[in-house]
Amino acid sequence: MRMLIAAAALAAFAPAARAAEPPVLASYTAYFSGFSVATLDAALRLDGERYSLAALMRTAGILAAFVRGEQTAEVEGIVQPATAVGLAPSRYAMEGRWRDRLRRIAMRWPGGEPEVLALIPANTEEREPVPPELQRGTIDTMTALVALLRRATETGRCEGEAALFDGRRRTDVTARTDGEDTLREHRWGIFAGPALRCTVEGRQVAGFWSGQNRDEAGTPRSATAWLARPEPGMPLIPVRIEAETGWGPVYIHLTRIGRGDLALPTRESRN
């Protein structure tokens, strides 16, 4: 599921020239073994100084019959060219319910280093804590993905690397350009045409489940995203994604594209 919410975060990128317009809003459906398993929505705004991203994932189809879940995530930060990825997060929040159990993470970055403000359930219930030395110099997953889209939009290339910390896990990721493809029409999605192919590989290095086999959990996993402009005047966004999971490949297709704000249920419940 973490790969799915990460894929949702890939869904939208608005370049500085269009900062005055509403956020880019994209919707996706994820498929596993031919069945729909989740819906993904994301909206992102980026101007010359700041960025913000909101994402929403819900289980759907056959998966929802067995596991009912909903998860939201939000990040805000500043454009900071001097950093490795060109962006610096200031606030991150994740909230969701899986099998009716609340899960929540809240973080901030005073002085540029991560600080965990809330963690429900506590790591002592599930995972080994990430040592402080492995938290330093990290950013959140959503910021890293926005940075990838920003880089690809500006340069036409995907190359980059980042150290990620989400309050529970430390993961190292690298991205590379694998060329260009012409995507054919597919009944699951709305896009067909030329697209830039980017491969992202992630390897967990800390924050393992208690008693988990570290060699198995630390095996690198990859996702391939095809980036394109689905409509004239739109920025470069993922139009198709294939992601490895512990259960097998997940295929994610763009189903709708536009502009507007994303209403987050958990955000509404806090007002």
Side-chain angles (χ1 to χ4, degrees):
M1 289 303 164
R2 186 160 60 104
M3 181 67 77
L4 294 182
I5 196 66
L10 278 167
F13 174 75
R18 304 182 67 106
E21 298 189 35
V24 172
L25 181 62
S27 299
Y28 296 77
T29 299
Y31 292 84
F32 175 76
S33 294
F35 297 96
S36 62
V37 293
T39 59
L40 312 170
D41 300 281
L44 186 144
R45 187 193 304 274
L46 177 70
D47 59 28
E49 297 181 352
R50 303 194 61 84
Y51 69 96
S52 63
L53 172 66
L56 168 64
M57 181 186 72
R58 290 187 172 110
T59 56
I62 190 171
L63 180 60
F66 298 94
V67 180
R68 299 194 66 84
E70 177 180 277
Q71 182 169 305
T72 68
E74 299 177 83
V75 68
E76 295 178 352
I78 61 174
V79 176
Q80 198 169 81
T83 63
V85 300
L87 302 174
S90 57
R91 182 188 72 87
Y92 170 82
M94 183 282 292
E95 184 173 318
R97 286 189 176 274
W98 298 97
R99 296 188 174 94
D100 294 324
R101 189 180 190 191
L102 175 66
R103 305 189 70 84
R104 178 181 295 153
I105 298 172
M107 299 175 63
R108 64 176 185 172
W109 281 260
E113 297 297 339
E115 177 184 359
V116 179
L117 304 177
L119 202 61
I120 301 173
N123 264 351
T124 53
E125 296 182 35
E126 300 179 334
R127 296 179 178 272
E128 301 172 0
V130 176
E133 62 270 19
L134 291 181
Q135 299 179 26
R136 299 187 189 108
T138 58
I139 58 175
D140 66 281
T141 301
M142 298 175 78
T143 293
L145 294 172
V146 173
L148 169 63
L149 294 177
R150 182 171 181 260
R151 185 183 309 118
T153 298
E154 294 179 349
T155 69
R157 305 288 298 178
C158 312
E159 277 70 22
E161 58 184 33
L164 311 182
F165 176 58
D166 67 355
R168 300 187 187 277
R169 293 162 289 247
R170 159 66 191 270
T171 305
D172 291 344
V173 298
T174 60
R176 69 176 185 268
T177 306
D178 279 338
E180 295 187 1
D181 293 331
T182 299
L183 300 179
R184 297 181 179 180
E185 292 185 2
H186 197 288
R187 61 188 177 89
W188 290 343
I190 63 172
F191 180 83
L196 176 68
R197 186 172 75 248
C198 299
T199 296
V200 179
E201 184 176 88
R203 182 177 66 88
Q204 185 176 344
V205 298
F208 299 103
W209 290 97
S210 300
Q212 189 176 21
N213 184 305
R214 292 194 177 197
D215 290 337
E216 180 180 345
T219 300
R221 298 190 185 280
S222 65
T224 299
W226 285 267
L227 311 182
R229 289 178 169 83
E231 295 181 359
M234 279 286 175
L236 204 66
I237 67 165
V239 293
R240 197 171 298 179
I241 300 167
E242 295 183 7
E244 294 181 10
T245 73
W247 305 279
V250 172
Y251 303 94
I252 304 168
H253 289 254
L254 177 70
T255 58
R256 184 175 56 186
I257 183 69
R259 289 188 179 273
D261 293 313
L262 178 63
L264 298 182
T266 52
R267 177 196 292 166
E268 293 171 355
S269 68
R270 291 196 297 267
N271 293 336

